[in-house]
Amino acid sequence: MPVNVAQNQIYESYSMLHPDGTLMCHCNFKRAKWYVDRDLATWVDEKQFKLKFEPQGYGKSENPFYMQALENRCVVCGSLDELNKHHVVPYVFRSRFPLAYKESNHHDIVPVCVDCHERYEAHATEFKALLAHQAGANMNTSMTEAFRHNKKVLSARNILQRIKEGNLVDSKGNPAIVPEEKLMVLREKAREELREDVPVSGTQWADSIMDKVMAEEGLFAFVKQWRAHFIEHMKPQYLPQYWSVEHPLEVKGKEASNEVVQ
Ligand SMILES: [Zn+2]
């Protein structure tokens, strides 16, 4: 049995063979070992194992993306060093995907070097903030829209009250003279109703985004948005062959089309 020498590699590319010898897919050492440990497969050589049972179909053999041995090289700059697993869809969203879709496929996990990763993180954060904004949430502060609104209304009421009581003073301690225009704005604001405030905590902004995604464009469109964003900002030169923004989402071997996911 091979020793797992590829611990720090992103792609381990062990070949799973059908009992008739057909290549079914590539997988990592852990998965290969899982089959062999359960006596469901035997090692053919260092990097290949053959199933002992007749599986349903030929796995992913019809999809050329999974038939290639993927390279451990930064997909952006080509560096072979300091590689990280980069998830094209950030964890904060993947963790909120419906259970059936959580097991994301290898397609959306690519090797990226530390430098490129850091460079992309800044773009990703910006994009998250934009998505949060579009979903009516704010990821940068714990203030909700309602909280900010209420703060302005209460502040206007407070100032008017102080003016009324003669407590609003200028820098010399004299009662402040507030221009009529300003008073009108304050009165208008003070008349607005307070809104119910549900405080945003932690990553609740991501819930808001996912709620919007599931209600509107759907999961597949959301994943494609992230793939396109990565390509647009990083211009990766070393993506594996057949890597594509349009690559279907997969659920345990089944391809989920846009219609199904929505
Ligand atoms: Zn790189």
Side-chain angles (χ1 to χ4, degrees):
M1 179 178 124
V3 180
N4 181 15
V5 290
Q7 256 163 356
N8 297 318
Q9 296 191 348
I10 310 297
Y11 298 129
E12 299 180 357
S13 293
Y14 285 80
S15 305
M16 182 195 285
L17 306 180
H18 190 273
D20 71 11
T22 310
L23 174 63
M24 293 179 66
C25 67
H26 288 100
C27 68
N28 60 19
F29 177 75
K30 199 173 150 195
R31 183 145 177 238
K33 190 171 178 299
W34 189 92
Y35 281 99
V36 175
D37 284 354
R38 280 156 189 77
D39 204 27
L40 298 169
T42 48
W43 291 109
V44 175
D45 60 31
E46 290 283 296
K47 296 291 275 190
Q48 303 188 79
F49 64 103
K50 190 189 269 188
L51 297 181
K52 284 183 166 181
F53 63 98
E54 189 83 17
Q56 285 184 333
Y58 280 83
K60 292 174 173 175
S61 59
E62 76 290 347
N63 189 329
F65 178 83
Y66 294 104
M67 288 301 101
Q68 59 188 331
L70 298 164
E71 265 189 293
N72 288 293
R73 170 189 287 275
C74 173
V75 294
V76 179
C77 72
S79 168
L80 301 172
D81 302 319
E82 296 191 284
L83 299 176
N84 275 331
K85 264 186 198 177
H86 174 66
H87 288 85
V88 174
V89 180
Y91 175 77
V92 72
F93 302 121
R94 276 183 296 117
S95 62
R96 287 167 167 79
F97 276 17
L99 202 61
Y101 300 100
K102 265 188 188 171
E103 292 181 8
S104 70
N105 54 63
H106 292 308
H107 181 271
D108 295 324
I109 304 172
V110 289
V112 170
C113 76
V114 174
D115 287 349
C116 290
H117 200 262
E118 217 161 86
R119 210 150 50 80
Y120 183 65
E121 277 312 288
H123 295 297
T125 303
E126 226 169 73
F127 192 37
K128 283 180 207 166
L130 174 71
L131 291 171
H133 178 73
Q134 288 170 348
N138 190 330
M139 67 178 282
N140 295 322
T141 101
S142 60
M143 268 196 258
T144 59
E145 202 63 45
F147 183 87
R148 276 195 296 276
H149 168 84
N150 293 348
K151 205 173 156 199
K152 284 181 197 156
V153 173
L154 292 171
S155 162
R157 288 180 187 176
N158 180 265
I159 293 171
L160 289 173
Q161 186 65 26
R162 285 162 69 193
I163 293 172
K164 198 173 154 193
E165 293 167 355
N167 287 335
L168 195 71
V169 293
D170 64 19
S171 54
K172 290 177 186 146
N174 301 316
I177 296 161
V178 183
E180 190 57 32
E181 280 166 40
K182 172 98 194 202
L183 277 175
M184 275 172 65
V185 173
L186 284 170
R187 286 190 196 114
E188 207 173 304
K189 183 53 75 182
R191 271 197 298 270
E192 286 181 29
E193 273 183 39
L194 294 176
R195 295 181 194 158
E196 192 189 347
D197 181 28
V198 182
V200 170
S201 66
T203 53
Q204 208 178 316
W205 54 271
D207 289 331
S208 305
I209 293 173
M210 287 315 295
D211 287 348
K212 183 171 176 287
V213 165
M214 298 316 283
E216 294 175 13
E217 70 261 39
L219 204 61
F220 187 41
F222 183 69
V223 171
K224 287 199 286 185
Q225 230 181 338
W226 277 99
R227 291 172 181 165
H229 183 266
F230 179 68
I231 288 183
E232 184 193 340
H233 290 275
M234 300 309 283
K235 307 206 167 23
Q237 301 298 306
Y238 297 87
L239 278 171
Q241 225 190 335
Y242 310 113
W243 199 94
S244 154
V245 169
E246 295 297 326
H247 188 91
L249 283 186
E250 304 214 358
V251 189
K252 289 177 183 163
K254 277 189 226 135
E255 289 190 352
S257 71
N258 203 9
E259 292 75 38
V260 175
V261 176
Q262 280 181 344

